[in-house]
Amino acid sequence: MFKKILIANRGEIALRVIRTCKEMGISTVAVYSTADKESLHVRFADEAVCIGPPSSSESYLSISKIMAAVEITNADAVHPGYGFLAENADFAEVCQEYGVKFIGPSANMIRMMGDKITAKETMIKAKVPVVPGSDGQVKTVKEGLKIAAEVGYPVMLKATAGGGGKGMRIVKSEEDFEEQLNKAQQEASASFGNDAMYLEKFIEEPRHIEIQIIGDQHGRVIHLSERDCSIQRRHQKLLEESPSPFLDQKLRDKMGKAAIKAAKSINYEGVGTVEFLVDKYKKFYFMEMNTRIQVEHTVTEEVINKDLIKEQIRVAAGEKLGAKNYYPEMHSIECRINAEDPLHDFRPSPGYISSFHSPKGHGVRVDTHAYAGYTVPPYYDSMIAKLICTAETREECILKMQRALGEFIIEGIKTTVPFHLQLMKDERFRAGSVTTQFLEDFEMKPV
Ligand code: MV4
């Protein structure tokens, strides 16, 4: 087992990893920018190294700064968390060369899944269902028009270097095609320095349902059931839950098997998530694979009663997994509490938190690095807390969440708490009939 893990991250996930390390008897190293000097991850780690100014590119995204911190503290593993360098293949490679374990899959796997055309081709070979569309890259308008006519409009153009909603465009008809392809290529080129595009049939009002998997270094892969992440706004998830109100045991088994097939086909090691689009006929299609621990891993932890960070560290150290998949025994919902103003288009609301009181009680979990007197810096992600409620049924879980949100006191900044309170009362949400389109028609009422 590792002796010392450096956490190449900040905020709640850095704290989350430190907590599990402590319980496993592993010592911890925090890294921090000057903006995070007063952060709890710095306080709770055994050692802390300042790695630079507030700007991410000069601190949490700087491979050389992180490696310097690894070197001076003699850490034998690095936990990347999510975001920042978590899916940076070059970073995983540098760690490997340096002889420090990157807690995650190999650089090759990260690279393979990071390129969406390669990922899709890999899934086709593994016989995992994918959305009908182009066979690899669409290079010309002529070629694109032909494929679009075959699969039928509307179609979607996606950048191979994209993901999480970036570099995508819907094409409604033949007349639109050329203009949309040009725009999409320009965007992709500017954002990723790679304008390669592929084409898919557009799936209308899909659900975003993802399967959590974990693979060990001995070739075993199991699944840990699903999370429904359909409640998103501009590709930012706001609420996640497990189990999905849309899945029955039969579909869960089918999707779980497909996710395992996907991961096994690449000899996957570590925790990972296979994202699927699920249409109204319950047909599912591979969308992307995330090669990191995700924000919403907590709802899975709650419903299967297992510490996923602990499992992640164990497999990274070479330990073997058991043979069984895990199925939800409870219902869990996570609300993301962001320093944003939901009444003004969710604009960022960083600043000084004058008072902070977390909800408590049975089935209530709050993962946060915030406290009264903490200042939310403007430089990073706006998420300041995750409120996770767990109960036996979805109905009870929603009632508990309503109660808990009502207890959350955060003063000094605006947060998404009022948004979630309104969501809990929404009839469609309560009925579980939510697709990725849901928030498009959702209007925040003044509070
Ligand atoms: C799609 C789609 C419909 N049809 N692909 C958005 C994020 C990126 N990972 C892929 N996304 C989508 N791909 C086809 N062929 C609709 C979306 C999509 C979406 C997916 C998941 C969650 C929210 C979404 C919001 C808008 C569009």
Side-chain angles (χ1 to χ4, degrees):
M1 187 40 73
F2 308 116
K3 291 197 169 63
K4 193 191 272 190
I5 296 179
L6 180 139
I7 299 105
N9 215 303
R10 62 179 299 282
E12 73 84 19
I13 191 64
L15 263 182
R16 169 74 194 82
V17 175
I18 290 168
R19 286 185 172 134
T20 290
C21 288
K22 283 192 179 167
E23 292 171 16
M24 295 177 80
I26 300 168
S27 58
T28 51
V29 181
V31 294
Y32 64 98
S33 74
T34 52
D36 281 337
K37 203 165 171 277
E38 306 301 326
S39 226
L40 287 184
H41 78 283
V42 175
R43 242 206 248 194
F44 290 161
D46 297 304
E47 292 169 78
V49 182
C50 182
I51 52 166
S55 151
S56 299
S57 60
E58 293 177 81
S59 53
Y60 301 106
L61 281 173
S62 166
I63 295 176
S64 58
K65 299 264 185 73
I66 306 271
M67 293 317 288
V70 168
E71 168 115 43
I72 61 170
T73 57
N74 214 12
D76 53 1
V78 173
H79 196 299
Y82 52 70
F84 297 119
L85 297 170
E87 285 170 297
N88 185 309
D90 295 338
F91 180 54
E93 206 162 76
V94 171
C95 288
Q96 199 178 346
E97 280 163 14
Y98 189 81
V100 57
K101 175 64 186 170
F102 174 85
I103 300 177
S106 69
N108 286 341
M109 287 180 211
I110 297 174
R111 219 167 259 133
M112 219 198 288
M113 292 300 120
D115 184 281
K116 306 305 167 196
I117 291 177
T118 308
K120 196 171 173 181
E121 281 170 350
T122 309
M123 294 310 145
I124 294 168
K125 281 196 199 113
K127 298 198 161 63
V128 174
V130 300
V131 184
S134 63
D135 207 352
Q137 200 182 335
V138 172
K139 289 187 176 145
T140 63
V141 176
K142 195 178 157 204
E143 186 190 358
L145 280 170
K146 187 167 168 270
I147 301 157
E150 279 165 21
V151 302
Y153 289 91
V155 297
M156 199 168 216
L157 288 166
K158 296 184 174 182
T160 191
K166 273 183 255 152
M168 296 185 340
R169 274 179 178 260
I170 302 172
V171 189
K172 296 211 169 94
S173 67
E174 209 174 279
E175 293 73 53
D176 270 359
F177 196 90
E178 183 160 7
E179 189 188 333
Q180 294 301 331
L181 180 64
N182 287 335
K183 280 190 178 156
Q185 283 178 325
Q186 277 165 27
E187 260 174 36
S189 187
S191 311
F192 319 113
N194 175 354
D195 73 353
M197 306 295 301
Y198 64 109
L199 182 153
E200 285 184 346
K201 173 149 190 71
F202 180 67
I203 309 293
E204 317 244 8
E205 299 212 11
R207 282 170 174 77
H208 171 134
I209 300 176
E210 55 188 35
I211 305 285
Q212 176 75 56
I213 59 102
I214 182 165
D216 66 19
Q217 295 172 2
H218 313 275
R220 178 164 274 162
V221 180
I222 59 168
H223 80 72
L224 287 62
S225 295
E226 82 282 5
R227 294 183 288 260
D228 195 318
C229 309
S230 298
I231 308 271
Q232 311 196 358
R233 187 181 172 277
R234 302 192 183 158
H235 305 294
Q236 286 290 110
K237 292 170 186 163
L238 278 159
L239 177 146
E240 304 94 345
E241 62 183 307
S242 183
S244 165
F246 195 64
L247 250 59
D248 51 30
Q249 188 54 29
K250 198 174 147 211
L251 188 52
R252 176 173 299 118
D253 271 328
K254 262 173 88 174
M255 291 177 69
K257 278 198 180 118
I260 290 173
K261 218 158 45 168
K264 274 201 172 155
S265 77
I266 56 169
N267 243 312
Y268 192 81
E269 177 210 324
V271 296
T273 302
V274 185
E275 294 184 352
F276 293 100
L277 288 174
V278 185
D279 71 14
K280 58 183 167 210
Y281 310 109
K282 306 213 171 198
K283 281 187 79 166
F284 62 91
Y285 310 91
F286 170 83
M287 184 164 51
E288 287 175 20
M289 180 163 182
N290 299 317
T291 55
R292 57 167 193 277
I293 192 79
Q294 289 185 280
V295 174
E296 61 271 25
H297 75 276
T298 50
V299 295
T300 300
E301 292 187 321
E302 295 303 316
V303 298
I304 68 171
N305 201 19
K306 240 184 167 13
D307 178 339
L308 284 194
I309 303 288
K310 192 180 207 172
E311 295 309 306
Q312 186 186 25
I313 293 171
R314 278 186 175 153
V315 298
E319 289 186 21
K320 282 186 178 161
L321 285 167
K324 283 203 198 76
N325 298 317
Y326 286 84
Y327 295 97
E329 292 185 10
M330 300 289 278
H331 196 96
S332 187
I333 299 178
E334 168 177 279
C335 289
R336 296 195 189 189
I337 313 302
N338 299 339
E340 291 171 0
D341 183 356
L343 282 169
H344 292 95
D345 210 28
F346 291 80
R347 70 179 175 210
S349 178
Y352 182 74
I353 298 177
S354 51
S355 83
F356 190 91
H357 176 272
S358 287
K360 291 168 181 77
H362 184 228
V364 178
R365 166 177 174 185
V366 179
D367 278 21
T368 182
H369 59 292
Y371 52 88
Y374 175 70
T375 298
V376 181
Y379 313 102
Y380 314 108
D381 192 271
S382 64
M383 193 179 74
I384 54 163
K386 306 191 293 202
L387 170 56
I388 306 108
C389 287
T390 306
E392 282 192 27
T393 66
R394 188 170 189 269
E395 291 68 33
E396 288 173 291
C397 193
I398 292 170
L399 292 171
K400 192 183 287 286
M401 184 62 83
Q402 239 174 326
R403 186 275 285 173
L405 285 162
E407 282 180 19
F408 223 143
I409 300 170
I410 306 173
E411 284 167 343
I413 59 166
K414 295 276 193 281
T415 75
T416 50
V417 167
F419 161 80
H420 287 294
L421 269 170
Q422 193 184 313
L423 182 56
M424 291 306 122
K425 291 185 209 138
D426 186 281
E427 283 310 316
R428 281 177 56 207
F429 173 73
R430 284 187 174 241
S433 96
V434 284
T435 72
T436 54
Q437 248 55 48
F438 178 77
L439 289 187
E440 308 279 309
D441 330 308
F442 188 84
E443 257 188 67
M444 261 310 283
K445 292 190 224 66
V447 267

Coordinates of all heavy atoms in Angstrom, one line a residue, residues 55-103:
S55 N -3.9 31.7 -10.6 CA -4.2 31.2 -11.9 C -3.9 29.7 -12.0 O -2.9 29.2 -11.7 CB -3.4 32.0 -12.9 OG -3.2 31.2 -14.1
S56 N -5.0 28.9 -12.4 CA -4.8 27.5 -12.5 C -3.7 27.0 -13.3 O -3.0 26.1 -13.0 CB -6.1 26.9 -13.1 OG -7.2 27.2 -12.3
S57 N -3.5 27.7 -14.4 CA -2.4 27.3 -15.4 C -1.0 27.4 -14.7 O -0.1 26.7 -15.1 CB -2.4 28.1 -16.6 OG -2.3 29.5 -16.3
E58 N -0.9 28.3 -13.7 CA 0.4 28.4 -13.0 C 0.4 27.6 -11.7 O 1.4 27.7 -10.9 CB 0.7 29.9 -12.7 CG 0.9 30.6 -14.0 CD 1.2 32.1 -13.7 OE1 2.3 32.4 -13.3 OE2 0.2 32.9 -13.8
S59 N -0.7 26.9 -11.4 CA -0.7 26.1 -10.1 C -1.3 24.7 -10.3 O -0.5 23.8 -10.7 CB -1.5 26.9 -9.0 OG -2.8 27.2 -9.5
Y60 N -2.6 24.5 -10.2 CA -3.2 23.2 -10.2 C -3.1 22.5 -11.6 O -3.2 21.3 -11.7 CB -4.6 23.2 -9.8 CG -4.8 23.8 -8.4 CD1 -5.3 25.1 -8.1 CD2 -4.4 23.0 -7.3 CE1 -5.4 25.5 -6.8 CE2 -4.5 23.5 -6.0 CZ -5.0 24.8 -5.8 OH -5.1 25.2 -4.5
L61 N -2.8 23.3 -12.7 CA -2.7 22.7 -14.0 C -1.2 22.6 -14.4 O -0.9 22.1 -15.5 CB -3.4 23.6 -15.0 CG -4.9 23.4 -15.1 CD1 -5.6 24.4 -16.1 CD2 -5.3 22.0 -15.6
S62 N -0.3 23.0 -13.5 CA 1.1 23.0 -13.9 C 1.8 21.7 -13.5 O 2.0 21.4 -12.3 CB 1.9 24.1 -13.2 OG 3.2 23.9 -13.3
I63 N 2.1 20.9 -14.5 CA 2.6 19.5 -14.3 C 4.0 19.7 -13.6 O 4.3 18.9 -12.7 CB 2.8 18.7 -15.6 CG1 1.4 18.5 -16.2 CG2 3.6 17.4 -15.4 CD1 1.3 17.8 -17.6
S64 N 4.8 20.7 -14.0 CA 6.1 20.8 -13.4 C 6.1 21.2 -11.9 O 6.8 20.7 -11.1 CB 7.0 21.8 -14.2 OG 6.3 23.0 -14.3
K65 N 5.1 22.1 -11.6 CA 5.0 22.5 -10.2 C 4.5 21.3 -9.3 O 5.0 21.1 -8.2 CB 3.9 23.6 -10.1 CG 4.3 24.9 -10.8 CD 4.9 25.9 -9.9 CE 5.2 27.2 -10.6 NZ 3.9 28.0 -10.8
I66 N 3.6 20.5 -9.9 CA 3.1 19.4 -9.1 C 4.2 18.4 -8.9 O 4.4 17.8 -7.8 CB 1.9 18.7 -9.8 CG1 0.8 19.7 -10.1 CG2 1.4 17.4 -9.0 CD1 -0.3 19.9 -9.1
M67 N 5.0 18.1 -10.0 CA 6.0 17.1 -9.9 C 7.1 17.6 -8.9 O 7.7 16.8 -8.2 CB 6.6 16.8 -11.3 CG 5.7 16.1 -12.2 SD 4.7 14.7 -11.5 CE 6.0 13.5 -11.3
A68 N 7.4 18.9 -8.9 CA 8.3 19.4 -7.9 C 7.9 19.2 -6.5 O 8.6 18.8 -5.6 CB 8.5 20.9 -8.1
A69 N 6.6 19.3 -6.3 CA 6.0 19.0 -4.9 C 6.1 17.5 -4.6 O 6.4 17.2 -3.4 CB 4.5 19.5 -4.9
V70 N 5.9 16.7 -5.6 CA 6.1 15.2 -5.4 C 7.5 14.9 -5.0 O 7.8 14.2 -4.0 CB 5.7 14.4 -6.7 CG1 6.2 13.0 -6.6 CG2 4.2 14.5 -7.0
E71 N 8.4 15.6 -5.7 CA 9.8 15.3 -5.5 C 10.3 15.7 -4.0 O 10.9 15.0 -3.3 CB 10.6 16.1 -6.5 CG 12.1 16.3 -6.2 CD 12.9 15.6 -7.3 OE1 12.6 15.7 -8.5 OE2 13.9 14.9 -6.9
I72 N 9.9 17.0 -3.6 CA 10.3 17.4 -2.3 C 9.7 16.7 -1.1 O 10.2 16.6 -0.1 CB 10.2 19.0 -2.1 CG1 8.8 19.4 -2.3 CG2 11.2 19.7 -3.1 CD1 8.6 20.9 -1.9
T73 N 8.5 16.2 -1.4 CA 7.8 15.5 -0.3 C 7.9 14.0 -0.3 O 7.6 13.3 0.7 CB 6.2 15.8 -0.3 OG1 5.7 15.4 -1.6 CG2 6.0 17.3 -0.1
N74 N 8.5 13.5 -1.4 CA 8.7 12.1 -1.5 C 7.4 11.2 -1.5 O 7.4 10.1 -1.0 CB 9.7 11.6 -0.4 CG 10.6 10.5 -0.9 OD1 10.6 10.2 -2.1 ND2 11.2 9.8 0.0
A75 N 6.4 11.8 -2.1 CA 5.1 11.0 -2.2 C 5.3 9.8 -3.1 O 6.1 9.9 -4.1 CB 4.0 12.0 -2.7
D76 N 4.6 8.7 -2.9 CA 4.7 7.6 -3.8 C 3.5 7.4 -4.7 O 3.5 6.5 -5.5 CB 5.1 6.3 -3.0 CG 4.1 6.0 -1.9 OD1 3.2 6.7 -1.7 OD2 4.4 4.9 -1.2
A77 N 2.5 8.3 -4.5 CA 1.3 8.2 -5.4 C 0.7 9.6 -5.5 O 0.9 10.4 -4.6 CB 0.3 7.2 -4.9
V78 N 0.0 9.9 -6.6 CA -0.7 11.1 -6.8 C -2.1 10.8 -7.1 O -2.5 10.0 -7.9 CB -0.1 11.9 -8.0 CG1 -0.9 13.1 -8.3 CG2 1.4 12.3 -7.8
H79 N -3.0 11.5 -6.3 CA -4.5 11.4 -6.6 C -4.9 12.7 -7.3 O -4.7 13.8 -6.8 CB -5.3 11.3 -5.3 CG -6.7 10.8 -5.6 ND1 -7.6 11.5 -6.4 CD2 -7.3 9.6 -5.3 CE1 -8.7 10.9 -6.5 NE2 -8.6 9.7 -5.8
P80 N -5.4 12.6 -8.6 CA -5.7 13.8 -9.3 C -7.1 14.4 -9.1 O -7.3 15.5 -9.6 CB -5.6 13.3 -10.8 CG -6.0 11.9 -10.7 CD -5.6 11.3 -9.4
G81 N -7.9 13.7 -8.3 CA -9.3 14.2 -8.1 C -10.1 14.2 -9.4 O -9.9 13.3 -10.3
Y82 N -10.9 15.3 -9.6 CA -11.6 15.5 -10.9 C -11.2 16.9 -11.4 O -10.8 17.8 -10.6 CB -13.1 15.3 -10.8 CG -13.7 16.1 -9.7 CD1 -13.9 17.5 -9.7 CD2 -14.3 15.4 -8.6 CE1 -14.5 18.2 -8.7 CE2 -14.9 16.1 -7.5 CZ -15.0 17.5 -7.6 OH -15.6 18.2 -6.6
G83 N -11.4 17.1 -12.7 CA -11.0 18.4 -13.3 C -9.5 18.5 -13.3 O -8.8 17.5 -13.2
F84 N -9.0 19.8 -13.5 CA -7.5 20.0 -13.5 C -6.8 18.9 -14.3 O -7.1 18.7 -15.5 CB -6.9 20.2 -12.1 CG -7.5 21.4 -11.4 CD1 -8.2 21.2 -10.2 CD2 -7.3 22.6 -11.9 CE1 -8.7 22.3 -9.5 CE2 -7.8 23.8 -11.3 CZ -8.5 23.6 -10.1
L85 N -5.9 18.2 -13.7 CA -5.0 17.2 -14.5 C -5.6 15.8 -14.5 O -4.9 14.9 -14.9 CB -3.6 17.2 -13.9 CG -2.9 18.6 -14.1 CD1 -1.5 18.5 -13.3 CD2 -2.6 18.9 -15.5
A86 N -6.8 15.6 -14.0 CA -7.3 14.2 -13.8 C -7.4 13.4 -15.1 O -7.3 12.2 -15.1 CB -8.7 14.3 -13.1
E87 N -7.7 14.1 -16.2 CA -7.7 13.4 -17.5 C -6.7 13.9 -18.5 O -6.9 13.9 -19.7 CB -9.2 13.4 -18.1 CG -10.1 12.5 -17.3 CD -11.5 12.6 -17.6 OE1 -12.1 13.7 -17.3 OE2 -12.1 11.7 -18.0
N88 N -5.5 14.2 -17.9 CA -4.4 14.7 -18.7 C -3.4 13.6 -18.9 O -2.7 13.2 -18.0 CB -3.8 15.9 -18.0 CG -2.7 16.6 -18.9 OD1 -1.8 15.9 -19.3 ND2 -2.8 17.9 -19.0
A89 N -3.4 13.0 -20.1 CA -2.6 11.8 -20.4 C -1.1 12.1 -20.2 O -0.3 11.3 -19.7 CB -2.8 11.3 -21.8
D90 N -0.7 13.3 -20.6 CA 0.7 13.7 -20.4 C 1.1 13.7 -18.9 O 2.2 13.2 -18.6 CB 1.0 15.1 -20.9 CG 0.8 15.2 -22.4 OD1 0.9 14.1 -23.1 OD2 0.5 16.3 -23.0
F91 N 0.3 14.1 -18.1 CA 0.5 14.1 -16.6 C 0.7 12.7 -16.1 O 1.6 12.3 -15.4 CB -0.6 14.8 -15.9 CG -0.4 14.9 -14.4 CD1 0.8 15.4 -13.8 CD2 -1.4 14.4 -13.5 CE1 1.0 15.4 -12.4 CE2 -1.2 14.5 -12.1 CZ 0.0 15.0 -11.6
A92 N -0.3 11.8 -16.5 CA -0.2 10.4 -16.1 C 1.1 9.8 -16.6 O 1.8 9.0 -15.9 CB -1.4 9.6 -16.7
E93 N 1.6 10.2 -17.8 CA 2.8 9.7 -18.4 C 4.0 10.2 -17.6 O 4.9 9.4 -17.3 CB 2.9 10.2 -19.8 CG 3.7 9.3 -20.7 CD 3.4 9.6 -22.2 OE1 3.9 10.7 -22.7 OE2 2.7 8.8 -22.8
V94 N 4.0 11.4 -17.2 CA 5.1 12.0 -16.4 C 5.2 11.3 -15.1 O 6.3 10.9 -14.6 CB 5.0 13.5 -16.3 CG1 6.0 14.1 -15.3 CG2 5.1 14.2 -17.6
C95 N 4.1 11.0 -14.5 CA 4.1 10.3 -13.2 C 4.7 8.9 -13.3 O 5.6 8.5 -12.5 CB 2.6 10.2 -12.6 SG 1.9 11.7 -12.0
Q96 N 4.3 8.3 -14.4 CA 4.8 6.9 -14.6 C 6.3 6.9 -14.8 O 7.1 6.1 -14.2 CB 4.1 6.3 -15.9 CG 4.2 4.8 -16.0 CD 3.5 4.3 -17.2 OE1 2.7 5.1 -17.8 NE2 3.7 3.1 -17.6
E97 N 6.8 7.9 -15.6 CA 8.2 8.0 -15.9 C 9.0 8.3 -14.6 O 10.1 7.9 -14.4 CB 8.5 9.1 -16.9 CG 8.3 8.6 -18.4 CD 8.1 9.8 -19.4 OE1 8.4 10.9 -19.0 OE2 7.7 9.5 -20.5
Y98 N 8.4 9.1 -13.8 CA 9.0 9.5 -12.5 C 9.0 8.4 -11.5 O 9.6 8.4 -10.5 CB 8.4 10.8 -12.0 CG 9.1 11.4 -10.9 CD1 10.3 12.2 -11.1 CD2 8.7 11.2 -9.6 CE1 10.9 12.7 -10.0 CE2 9.4 11.7 -8.5 CZ 10.5 12.5 -8.7 OH 11.2 13.0 -7.7
G99 N 8.1 7.4 -11.7 CA 8.0 6.3 -10.8 C 7.1 6.5 -9.6 O 7.2 5.9 -8.5
V100 N 6.1 7.5 -9.8 CA 5.1 7.7 -8.8 C 3.8 7.3 -9.4 O 3.5 7.5 -10.6 CB 5.1 9.2 -8.4 CG1 4.9 10.1 -9.5 CG2 4.1 9.5 -7.3
K101 N 3.0 6.5 -8.6 CA 1.7 6.0 -9.1 C 0.7 7.1 -9.3 O 0.3 7.8 -8.4 CB 1.2 4.9 -8.2 CG -0.1 4.3 -8.6 CD -0.1 3.6 -9.9 CE -1.6 3.1 -10.3 NZ -1.7 2.6 -11.6
F102 N 0.2 7.2 -10.6 CA -0.9 8.1 -10.9 C -2.1 7.3 -10.5 O -2.3 6.2 -11.1 CB -0.9 8.4 -12.4 CG -2.1 9.2 -12.9 CD1 -2.1 10.6 -12.7 CD2 -3.1 8.5 -13.5 CE1 -3.2 11.3 -13.2 CE2 -4.2 9.2 -13.9 CZ -4.3 10.6 -13.8
I103 N -2.9 7.7 -9.6 CA -4.1 6.9 -9.2 C -5.2 7.1 -10.2 O -6.0 8.0 -10.2 CB -4.6 7.3 -7.7 CG1 -3.4 7.0 -6.8 CG2 -5.8 6.5 -7.4 CD1 -3.7 7.4 -5.3

